Amino acid sequence: MAFSNENKLLGDNTTYRINPNIKKFTLRDLGFNTTNAGNFSYERFLDVNNPYGNGIKIKITFKADLSGFKMSIVTGNGMQKVNIFKDDQHQSDVDQVRFILNNLIEREVIAQA
């Protein structure tokens, strides 16, 4: 998946874009790690009861110059995308994703498009 100014998760109706007020230090404060390429990467398991398991996780990566980002919900090994919005089976995962994304919105990292 290529970096883009706007993204949405598989199965979600909401589109997110980069907030013009984004700052690199805010990404670091929120737990983003710097990759070897200088990008900012965030990966978290969605199961709040077992955060070290091999369940579904969210992956968000910002380009080093903050001009683009990509995000997805993937399996524990990161190899396949997962649609957690298709049924009520993953409601707790949906709630956790909304919590994470709302935190990014409040900290002016992303905004709803």
Side-chain angles (χ1 to χ4, degrees), residues 46 84-85 87 90-99:
L46 298 179
I84 62 172
F85 300 96
D87 55 33
H90 298 286
Q91 188 58 46
S92 64
D93 295 332
V94 171
D95 293 341
Q96 186 65 15
V97 166
R98 296 283 185 231
F99 177 80

Side-chain angles (χ1 to χ4, degrees), residues 22-33 39-42 60 62-64 66 104 107 109:
I22 189 172
K23 304 282 188 264
K24 291 182 179 183
F25 66 84
T26 303
L27 294 175
R28 290 186 193 103
D29 286 348
L30 290 169
F32 282 79
N33 296 317
N39 297 331
F40 295 93
S41 176
Y42 180 89
I60 305 171
F62 282 88
K63 207 169 177 181
L66 305 179
L104 295 176
R107 297 291 300 268
V109 172

Side-chain angles (χ1 to χ4, degrees), residues 69-91:
F69 78 113
K70 54 187 175 179
M71 63 181 182
S72 59
I73 306 292
V74 295
T75 56
N77 62 8
M79 301 303 280
Q80 294 180 328
K81 291 184 180 182
V82 178
N83 182 355
I84 62 172
F85 300 96
K86 66 181 175 183
D87 55 33
D88 292 338
Q89 179 182 357
H90 298 286
Q91 188 58 46

Side-chain angles (χ1 to χ4, degrees), residues 7-68:
N7 280 293
K8 66 195 257 185
L9 296 168
L10 178 66
D12 193 9
N13 295 328
T14 308
T15 302
Y16 299 94
R17 62 176 172 78
I18 297 175
N19 190 313
N21 298 328
I22 189 172
K23 304 282 188 264
K24 291 182 179 183
F25 66 84
T26 303
L27 294 175
R28 290 186 193 103
D29 286 348
L30 290 169
F32 282 79
N33 296 317
T34 307
T35 65
N36 291 341
N39 297 331
F40 295 93
S41 176
Y42 180 89
E43 289 188 27
R44 293 292 182 272
F45 286 104
L46 298 179
D47 186 357
V48 294
N49 298 320
N50 187 12
Y52 303 107
N54 57 356
I56 298 169
K57 63 183 174 181
I58 186 169
K59 290 176 65 172
I60 305 171
T61 306
F62 282 88
K63 207 169 177 181
D65 62 1
L66 305 179
S67 64

